[in-house]
Amino acid sequence: MRLRRSRQSLVSTIPTASMADIAFLLIVFFMVTTAYSLDRTPMELPETAQQEQTQKGSALISITHDEVYRFSAGEADAQVVGGIDALAAAIRDVTAANTMHPFVIKADRRVKYRVIDQVLEQLRAAGAENVTLLSQGEVDR
Amino acid sequence: MKIARRHLPAEIPTASMADVAFLLIIFFLVASFYSVTRGIQFSLPKHDEAALTSEPEAAVLIEIAADGALTVDSRPLPLGELQAYLRPKLQRNPTKAVILQTSLDAAYRHMTDVFDELRQSGVQNLVIPTSAELEMYGLRRLQ
């Protein structure tokens, strides 16, 4: 017996109707979760094993190896500030509105503790309560 | 004269949409890897005089010298043994105060190293007095 080949050839298609939905869902997910760095100054961050996610919109205090301060209230890119007094004024502007506003200190690991101490003192004096020291994950040894 | 109307099927060209979409996905994926948004968190104490001026045996005092050497309760201690030293104390009293005093000439990373160890051993009541605070209470400042 000879089987008759069907005349109706099936068109092979990959169903792609939902692909756009999936792709846009992923785009929206990454858009929402991506926090842009406010300060892209390269520096060697201290390494810690314990890490928590910082909050989006945190005010950022960046201190480079050669003790240049940069500050951002959370929205705009970090700008260089003149010195500790200018930084203190900028911190007070933020805490005057909300003392619970999160602060992130991004400091180079080689910076002297004297500098960090000054910044912490200004934060404490301004009444900031939520401070995170930015670090990078510790490499397992 | 009659112009023959041709029926053009109305279609939105979507062939490149997937390309555009995946390009955007990859962009956001990569951007999310490059932003450093993780760190070690603490809440600044508001003039915690009680903890600072508490009896020596009520709190653990950790001092970091300029070269990063640790002195814990007036005895030198290597960083690796800090967790073992604190564990029994914290088991007895989980809210035991730990005071972390860093020499002003020490590098920032010495402080974060110790801070990291303290976080790992689960210290809840961590006090990091600033030098101005120490002066205010007339306490010794590390040189």
Side-chain angles (χ1 to χ4, degrees):
Chain A
M1 196 186 94
R2 207 174 140 190
L3 286 170
R4 255 177 69 189
R5 190 175 288 173
S6 166
R7 284 277 170 80
Q8 255 189 319
S9 62
L10 283 168
V11 186
S12 62
T13 51
I14 301 166
T16 53
S18 63
M19 195 178 70
D21 300 338
I22 296 168
F24 280 107
L25 192 94
L26 286 171
I27 289 177
V28 170
F29 170 76
F30 283 114
M31 271 179 75
V32 170
T33 55
T34 304
Y36 287 100
S37 343
L38 299 168
D39 173 61
R40 281 173 286 277
T41 322
M43 61 174 79
E44 292 178 30
L45 290 174
E47 293 178 349
T48 58
Q50 286 276 307
Q51 285 195 312
E52 290 118 48
Q53 189 71 38
T54 58
Q55 286 175 50
K56 234 179 158 178
S58 303
L60 181 91
I61 300 164
S62 144
I63 307 161
T64 58
H65 172 47
D66 43 6
E67 293 176 25
V68 175
Y69 301 98
R70 282 183 181 80
F71 182 82
S72 160
E75 283 90 30
D77 272 4
Q79 300 293 324
V80 176
V81 288
I84 190 75
D85 294 327
L87 182 68
I91 291 169
R92 275 197 299 276
D93 283 346
V94 174
T95 52
N98 175 16
T99 55
M100 285 309 286
H101 192 91
F103 279 87
V104 171
I105 298 179
K106 178 189 176 189
D108 195 289
R109 65 174 95 155
R110 294 163 294 179
V111 161
K112 286 263 177 282
Y113 187 70
R114 188 183 304 279
V115 180
I116 308 293
D117 183 79
Q118 276 181 342
V119 173
L120 286 180
E121 175 56 33
Q122 296 306 330
L123 282 169
R124 201 187 51 73
E129 289 174 26
N130 184 349
V131 179
T132 305
L133 305 177
L134 209 62
S135 64
Q136 62 186 45
E138 205 159 63
V139 186
D140 289 322
R141 268 162 284 197
Chain B
M1 199 182 91
K2 204 177 168 188
I3 298 167
R5 192 175 285 175
R6 273 201 299 166
H7 274 282
L8 281 171
E11 228 177 62
I12 302 167
T14 53
S16 62
M17 193 177 69
D19 301 338
V20 176
F22 280 107
L23 191 95
L24 285 173
I25 289 178
I26 289 168
F27 169 75
F28 284 112
L29 250 171
V30 172
S32 69
F33 279 130
Y34 273 92
S35 60
V36 192
T37 56
R38 298 171 72 79
I40 192 157
Q41 199 170 16
F42 72 107
S43 32
L44 278 172
K46 287 188 230 159
H47 283 299
D48 199 351
E49 192 171 358
L52 270 178
T53 54
S54 57
E55 291 299 307
E57 58 266 27
V60 178
L61 176 68
I62 303 173
E63 293 162 301
I64 308 173
D67 60 350
L70 286 187
T71 309
V72 181
D73 289 339
S74 328
R75 277 191 302 271
L77 193 79
L79 183 64
E81 289 171 25
L82 185 61
Q83 281 199 44
Y85 178 81
L86 287 172
R87 202 172 296 122
K89 287 179 186 290
L90 288 168
Q91 266 167 4
R92 254 178 280 139
N93 178 10
T95 56
K96 193 171 185 71
V98 176
I99 303 171
L100 180 61
Q101 237 180 297
T102 311
S103 159
L104 296 179
D105 291 318
Y108 173 47
R109 78 186 148 84
H110 293 310
M111 182 262 184
T112 53
D113 283 348
V114 178
F115 191 4
D116 190 24
E117 293 289 323
L118 295 177
R119 263 309 170 84
Q120 285 180 48
S121 47
V123 175
Q124 292 170 20
N125 193 358
L126 177 64
V127 186
I128 303 176
T130 58
S131 54
E133 247 182 316
L134 291 175
E135 255 169 52
M136 197 185 302
Y137 298 122
L139 294 172
R140 189 168 60 94
R141 192 173 59 192
L142 275 179
Q143 285 311 310

